[in-house]
Amino acid sequence: MRWKALKSKEEKAQYLDERSKFVAQCSHYEKQFKRWEQVLMQNQLQKERECIKKRYTAILAQLRKEGWDDEVNHMQADQHKRMYALNVINLSKKFTDKEWETIRGPVVEVMREIRAARQTGTITTRLQYLKATLYAHQSAVPVLFKNAKDRLYAGFADIAFVPEVRAMIEEHSPDVTEDVIKAKIAAIVPELAERWVDERRAQFTALLREGLGDSIAADAPNPLELAIASFKCIKCADRDWYSYSPRSPCYGWPEIAEHYCLRNEFMDARCGDYYMGHVSNLVNRHPNDTPFKGVTCVQVMKELTDFRDVIEVCGQDPDTVTYDHMEHCGVRLRCRLCASFARQEVFDWKAAIRHDFDAHPWLKNEGLRTRVEGRWERISNEHARQAEALEAALALKLPGTNPSIVIVQVRFHCGWCGFSSEYSPVILDHLRSDHDKQSEVYGQDYYGVRSSPLTIWMYSETLSHCPSLQVEVAAGKAFFASFKV
């Protein structure tokens, strides 16, 4: 209304100037009022936070009185946040002892969850230490390349489920520190690993004695050392007898104890046993770390005619000769059913037995077998020494200098646990993923064991001019000789 009453430009200009000053003054005071209001709000919030903090501190003190000291002392930031989020705690009023009974339920429930989470973390950490300690102990055992007859690994779960180990892992006494637990684990692991191997040895020894019956071999001091000590798995006995796979149903010791059918391949982390759940979460991708199930699917090989035939030709008694003695006897054989004037394959005792399975399965027929008695014959000592030298040289070349090459004649074994594979890329991947080994050392982190027969060929000297045979001889797989059929 005032604006309309103004007549001249000077009056209107003066009016606009006055209003501008008034608006500027109002804006100035508005900012001051807002700052004052913010200070009041911050002071109020600070008082509330201090009150809540004092209330929370008093509640924690009450929890300590009720025996929650350890959990309170080790609460993490997210756990404090979880506690603060409770409506009964996040109040800006003083905590009183009388109020405790009304709020105790939800507070203690959170503390139980915190205790369970802490125990879970502690159990996982201790199991991880147990696993690392077991692997380190087993990797420290010198690698024996001689057919790995002395290598047998206890699985992580085998040791984790030993009662005294479980008691250590689950120990939650406030007087026991983690360093004490680790020291106990480190002290007991070597003994337990050896005990587990001894138990398996006793288990299979008893099974073998029972299978051998009243024979002389059954009375041997250590029948597992006998050359004829062989087992089969009835679960996979209908599979390929002649495959180079470790699933071949004829196993010696300790290979039979590592057979995958004897392991519990599936461990349910969601089962009712929370400890089994923790162990299951740490078991590697392969079944070798899962619990040993027993020997219910194992039987002693009683079809030992092929074994006995070959061992007798080598000049040894099948009921008493040991595996180690046969390995070092130096005898080499030829199969008269397959030999010719031009070439003859040279076999050690194991390769000869395998040859009977592979090339002459019809020999299982007892009637046919009697017609071919004398099918195995020893070659001369001179030729045997030549073949043995070539075998030894080839055995050193089997793993190869290039780890990416697939070599079916060798089974690669992990030097830290019971895992093995016919393929070097698989064993290298296992070492990297399960043992964090980025620079693997052959002979230390892993080693190779011949998994299929290694035979040498003798070619008649009359064929020494043949270029293809010369290449084979130069490669160390054969030699020229004078022989008869």
Side-chain angles (χ1 to χ4, degrees):
M1 294 296 292
R2 184 179 175 186
W3 178 261
K4 293 181 179 181
L6 299 175
K7 302 298 182 178
S8 65
K9 291 183 178 179
E10 290 78 9
E11 290 177 341
K12 290 182 177 180
Q14 184 181 357
Y15 177 77
L16 289 174
D17 184 57
E18 291 175 355
R19 299 312 298 173
S20 295
K21 290 180 179 178
F22 176 75
V23 170
Q25 190 178 31
C26 289
S27 177
H28 171 71
Y29 286 119
E30 180 188 17
K31 290 179 181 178
Q32 288 185 329
F33 282 132
K34 283 186 176 180
R35 282 196 292 270
W36 174 71
E37 183 183 23
Q38 287 175 354
V39 171
L40 288 179
M41 292 178 62
Q42 288 174 357
N43 290 340
Q44 181 63 27
L45 288 173
Q46 181 63 27
K47 289 180 181 178
E48 290 180 358
R49 281 196 291 265
E50 289 178 359
C51 186
I52 294 173
K53 184 176 180 180
K54 290 180 180 179
R55 177 181 176 83
Y56 184 52
T57 301
I59 291 174
L60 292 182
Q62 184 67 35
L63 287 170
R64 291 179 189 278
K65 291 180 182 179
E66 296 198 1
W68 297 93
D69 303 65
D70 199 38
E71 286 71 27
V72 171
N73 291 337
H74 293 87
M75 284 177 68
Q76 303 297 318
D78 60 325
Q79 294 169 336
H80 282 292
K81 186 176 180 180
R82 168 79 189 284
M83 189 72 83
Y84 260 110
L86 292 176
N87 293 332
V88 296
I89 289 180
N90 195 13
L91 296 174
S92 56
K93 69 174 186 177
K94 185 178 180 181
F95 171 76
T96 62
D97 292 339
K98 185 177 180 180
E99 183 188 9
W100 174 241
E101 288 305 320
T102 63
I103 70 171
R104 185 179 183 279
V107 173
V108 170
E109 181 62 29
V110 173
M111 292 307 296
R112 289 196 184 102
E113 294 177 7
I114 291 174
R115 172 178 286 177
R118 183 163 180 265
Q119 290 178 350
T120 295
T122 300
I123 288 175
T124 299
T125 301
R126 292 174 180 177
L127 285 173
Q128 288 172 336
Y129 182 77
L130 170 67
K131 185 176 182 180
T133 303
L134 175 64
Y135 286 167
H137 166 70
Q138 296 186 147
S139 69
V141 179
V143 171
L144 304 174
F145 292 92
K146 184 192 65 180
N147 297 296
K149 291 297 289 183
D150 298 319
R151 295 305 297 264
L152 181 60
Y153 295 91
F156 161 62
D158 293 319
I159 303 301
F161 285 118
V162 173
E164 52 260 52
V165 172
R166 180 167 182 171
M168 289 181 192
I169 300 297
E170 295 180 320
E171 172 64 58
H172 293 296
S173 172
D175 300 329
V176 179
T177 66
E178 289 305 298
D179 289 339
V180 170
I181 295 296
K182 289 182 178 180
K184 288 183 177 180
I185 291 174
I188 200 173
V189 160
E191 175 191 344
L192 293 180
E194 295 304 317
R195 184 200 304 175
W196 185 88
V197 173
D198 290 341
E199 289 172 353
R200 300 291 79 71
R201 183 181 289 109
Q203 201 170 15
F204 283 98
T205 296
L207 183 65
L208 182 60
R209 289 191 191 279
E210 181 182 358
L212 293 175
D214 297 330
S215 65
I216 297 175
D219 296 327
N222 189 350
L224 289 178
E225 295 181 357
L226 296 177
I228 62 171
S230 298
F231 303 87
K232 65 180 179 181
C233 172
I234 58 176
K235 277 191 174 182
C236 52
D238 57 343
R239 297 178 183 174
D240 188 4
W241 274 71
Y242 319 115
S243 168
Y244 287 152
S245 162
R247 297 180 179 184
S248 174
C250 183
Y251 300 91
W253 167 265
E255 294 83 9
I256 183 61
E258 298 175 333
H259 183 50
Y260 74 102
C261 286
L262 277 59
R263 290 282 178 179
N264 184 2
E265 293 189 51
F266 177 74
M267 293 181 64
D268 189 358
R270 299 165 299 178
C271 64
D273 186 341
Y274 79 98
Y275 185 79
M276 179 178 286
H278 288 303
V279 175
S280 174
N281 289 332
L282 291 175
V283 166
N284 288 336
R285 294 173 297 173
H286 56 86
N288 303 76
D289 266 344
T290 60
F292 186 82
K293 294 192 297 185
V295 296
T296 55
C297 66
V298 178
Q299 290 182 352
V300 176
M301 288 282 289
K302 297 181 180 179
E303 308 86 11
L304 297 174
T305 307
D306 298 297
F307 286 69
R308 292 182 175 276
D309 287 350
V310 169
I311 291 173
E312 287 175 353
V313 173
C314 292
Q316 305 297 329
D317 183 351
D319 288 316
T320 58
V321 69
T322 65
Y323 179 99
D324 190 62
H325 185 85
M326 289 300 299
E327 284 290 280
H328 294 89
C329 69
V331 175
R332 294 297 181 269
L333 308 174
R334 69 187 183 103
C335 176
R336 295 181 63 192
L337 297 176
C338 302
S340 70
F341 288 103
R343 66 175 192 170
Q344 296 183 4
E345 193 171 8
V346 179
F347 303 89
D348 69 1
W349 71 284
K350 290 185 298 185
I353 294 171
R354 184 62 175 266
H355 178 76
D356 267 348
F357 282 133
D358 289 352
H360 312 302
W362 45 268
L363 288 173
K364 294 178 184 178
N365 185 308
E366 194 64 33
L368 295 174
R369 178 183 296 278
T370 57
R371 303 179 188 177
V372 290
E373 289 181 357
R375 64 189 181 283
W376 288 108
E377 186 176 69
R378 295 175 60 164
I379 63 174
S380 69
N381 292 337
E382 178 186 355
H383 291 160
R385 285 192 295 270
Q386 282 183 270
E388 189 175 7
L390 292 178
E391 289 170 7
L394 283 178
L396 294 177
K397 297 178 182 179
L398 283 176
T401 56
N402 184 353
S404 65
I405 297 176
V406 175
I407 306 172
V408 298
Q409 296 88 356
V410 169
R411 187 158 192 87
F412 294 96
H413 292 255
C414 175
W416 296 78
C417 67
F419 181 80
S420 63
S421 173
E422 292 179 348
Y423 307 106
S424 56
V426 175
I427 195 72
L428 296 182
D429 176 69
H430 163 77
L431 287 167
R432 292 165 189 154
S433 62
D434 292 347
H435 301 292
D436 196 27
K437 296 294 175 181
Q438 304 303 320
S439 300
E440 309 85 0
V441 179
Y442 181 78
Q444 178 178 328
D445 296 316
Y446 72 110
Y447 59 98
V449 176
R450 196 173 72 199
S451 60
S452 60
L454 179 61
T455 58
I456 301 297
W457 285 91
M458 286 194 306
Y459 292 112
S460 172
E461 291 177 338
T462 59
L463 301 176
S464 59
H465 61 280
C466 177
S468 62
L469 297 184
Q470 290 174 355
V471 170
E472 198 169 341
V473 170
K477 299 178 181 179
F479 62 93
F480 293 112
S482 175
F483 53 79
K484 62 180 181 177
V485 179

